[in-house]
Amino acid sequence: MAENKKAALGFIFVTLFLDVMGLGIIIPVFPKLISQLIHGDLSTASLWGSWLVAAFAGMQFLFSPIMGGLSDRYGRRPVLLLSLLGFGLDYIVMAFAPTIWWLFATRIFAGIMGASFTTGTAYIADISTPEKRAQNFGMIGVAFGLGFMVGPAVGGILGKISPRLPFIVAACVSLLNTLYGYFILPESLPKENRRKFDWKRANPIGSLKQLGKYPVVLGMVVSILCIYMAAHAVQSTWTYYTMLKFNWSEDTVGYSLAFVGLLVGAVQGGLIRVVIPKIGQKRSIYVGLFLYTVGMILFGFASQSWMMFAFLVPYALGGVAGPALQGIMSAQVPPNAQGELQGGLTGLVSLTSFFGPLLMGNLFHFFTKKDAPIYFPGAPFIMGAILCLASLLFAMRSLAKHSV
């Protein structure tokens, strides 16, 4: 049984790694593709880019609880495979999009189908013992880190040939990932642990209401909202910020994101297995959120290219907070509701992924446009630091109130 669980973790790790790699391939070239389609500059492209991310997130907010509920009813495997297939088809259409509105259509479709991480997280919860959940959730971070180490580096190199070539490669990766999962990935949810699909619970509001049954989970919601809003200071503006302020090319952006992946992989794959057992989940959350805050401030005031690489270190070390948060919340939920929990949390993430890019993208545009009152491209990172600090304060309050 132990060997089967270990093998299953390996399978889900490879699946998520390939999924993230496909996503990472397109990131370095997205600004240039948008600029071409709108015939505008980087500052204007950042606004369109934020709305594209918001379109994806809005659909994911609406549909991730449905996918989570379906995975609790029919198992993780079919839902995961359907999601991977959808991403493959999405990249194909993006590769040949003739107008910006085609990109919007593909982002909406991808948001509907995007359940790979929701289902993957529930899969890990299915096969993990309570004491190992936080460490095993760290594998998601490792897959994310390694995928972002390989994907953007490849995308940056391919993007110098053509801004559309990375999308074709990403499509191939996603479709191969679907085949891999079809032939290799086993089902993780036993039939006796499945529940009936309920439309009242399989909607964003119903899913969020279900989180209210678990006081600790509910108490962490505001903290989670703040930290994921803050993350979009990096996720939504990094490429635009570094290209505009430091004149980075696609391959340099790709290498920087590859370095992010290397750091994240080291933290999630090694450091958390030492830090979380040693200082506990609560302190890991506090330390991680503090480091996120410091990293954001440093990004905002960086004046040279090398500083962006150096300041990634404290920011990446903040990653010890994520698995600790997941471990605490997952321990409060029964086995047959893990998919619902992850669907609800993904819904929350998607909600912040709708407003976060709009907030950060508009801040970036406002402080970089030609008639900006103050030219300060780092404004989104300072807002991110404020939100990270708020997340830390809310987490301390919630965990102090509930004995965990």
Side-chain angles (χ1 to χ4, degrees):
M1 181 64 71
E3 286 299 317
N4 289 339
K5 287 186 176 181
K6 187 175 181 180
L9 280 173
F11 295 148
I12 203 70
F13 172 82
V14 173
T15 299
L16 294 179
F17 163 73
L18 292 175
D19 195 21
V20 175
M21 190 179 88
L23 176 64
I25 285 173
I26 71 172
I27 291 177
V29 297
F30 219 47
K32 179 172 282 189
L33 179 61
I34 295 172
S35 295
Q36 286 183 359
L37 293 176
I38 66 170
H39 306 290
D41 59 14
L42 276 175
S43 183
T44 307
S46 70
L47 277 181
W48 284 93
S50 65
W51 277 106
L52 284 166
V53 175
F56 173 85
M59 291 298 101
Q60 196 167 60
F61 173 69
L62 294 174
F63 285 89
S64 61
I66 295 176
M67 292 299 194
L70 288 173
S71 77
D72 281 339
R73 174 64 183 90
Y74 297 105
R76 317 300 185 201
R77 186 174 181 273
V79 174
L80 185 59
L81 293 178
L82 183 64
S83 174
L84 296 175
L85 177 62
F87 272 123
L89 297 176
D90 171 67
Y91 290 138
I92 291 174
V93 178
M94 291 178 77
F96 299 99
T99 68
I100 191 71
W101 303 112
W102 276 84
L103 289 187
F104 274 101
T106 62
R107 291 293 79 196
I108 289 170
F109 175 74
I112 294 172
M113 302 295 290
S116 57
F117 269 79
T118 300
T119 312
T121 306
Y123 191 109
I124 291 174
D126 291 339
I127 62 175
S128 302
T129 59
E131 60 272 14
K132 287 288 186 180
R133 273 197 185 128
Q135 293 183 32
N136 288 341
F137 280 137
M139 290 191 65
I140 298 175
V142 178
F144 187 91
L146 292 177
F148 260 74
M149 183 170 63
V150 177
V154 173
I157 294 170
L158 295 176
K160 298 201 79 172
I161 301 173
S162 167
R164 295 179 184 268
L165 181 58
F167 293 92
I168 297 173
V169 175
C172 294
V173 169
S174 292
L175 294 176
L176 287 173
N177 195 9
T178 305
L179 288 174
Y180 169 84
Y182 181 81
F183 290 106
I184 302 297
L185 191 68
E187 179 55 63
S188 66
L189 185 65
K191 290 186 177 180
E192 61 270 19
N193 284 342
R194 299 182 187 182
R195 65 173 178 85
K196 291 183 178 180
F197 182 81
D198 184 356
W199 278 106
K200 292 181 180 179
R201 297 169 70 174
N203 66 79
I205 306 303
S207 184
L208 296 180
K209 284 182 178 178
Q210 293 301 313
L211 297 180
K213 296 190 302 186
Y214 314 105
V216 175
V217 173
L218 183 62
M220 298 299 292
V221 164
V222 178
S223 179
I224 294 168
L225 286 171
C226 287
I227 193 62
Y228 281 107
M229 282 285 286
H232 281 280
V234 176
Q235 295 173 14
S236 299
T237 64
W238 179 271
T239 306
Y240 301 97
Y241 177 73
T242 53
M243 284 183 167
L244 183 66
K245 187 171 183 178
F246 303 112
N247 199 30
W248 283 8
S249 60
E250 292 91 341
D251 55 343
T252 305
V253 171
Y255 297 145
S256 73
L257 294 175
F259 186 55
V260 172
L262 177 64
L263 292 174
V264 170
V267 171
Q268 302 292 337
L271 190 62
I272 65 165
R273 296 178 182 272
V274 177
V275 172
I276 292 178
K278 188 164 186 176
I279 69 174
Q281 292 180 333
K282 288 171 65 173
R283 288 184 179 177
S284 296
I285 292 171
Y286 301 156
V287 171
L289 293 179
F290 173 75
L291 288 171
Y292 274 146
T293 305
V294 172
M296 290 283 190
I297 294 172
L298 294 174
F299 288 149
F301 290 102
S303 58
Q304 298 184 47
S305 286
W306 66 265
M307 292 181 179
M308 296 301 288
F309 284 87
F311 297 159
L312 280 169
V313 175
Y315 180 77
L317 289 173
V320 299
L325 277 166
Q326 286 274 20
I328 286 176
M329 290 185 290
S330 181
Q332 312 300 312
V333 178
N336 66 351
Q338 290 292 334
E340 182 178 57
L341 168 66
Q342 301 306 330
L345 293 177
T346 301
L348 286 174
V349 173
S350 298
L351 191 61
T352 62
S353 295
F354 180 83
F355 293 105
L358 297 178
L359 172 63
M360 301 306 178
N362 275 278
L363 275 174
F364 181 79
H365 176 65
F366 181 79
F367 285 100
T368 58
K369 62 184 180 180
K370 293 180 180 179
D371 57 344
I374 299 174
Y375 183 79
F376 183 48
F381 295 109
I382 303 307
M383 175 59 72
I386 294 170
L387 289 169
C388 284
L389 183 59
S391 178
L392 172 60
L393 296 175
F394 281 118
M396 292 176 69
R397 179 184 176 187
S398 178
L399 294 175
K401 186 177 180 180
H402 302 284
S403 179
V404 179

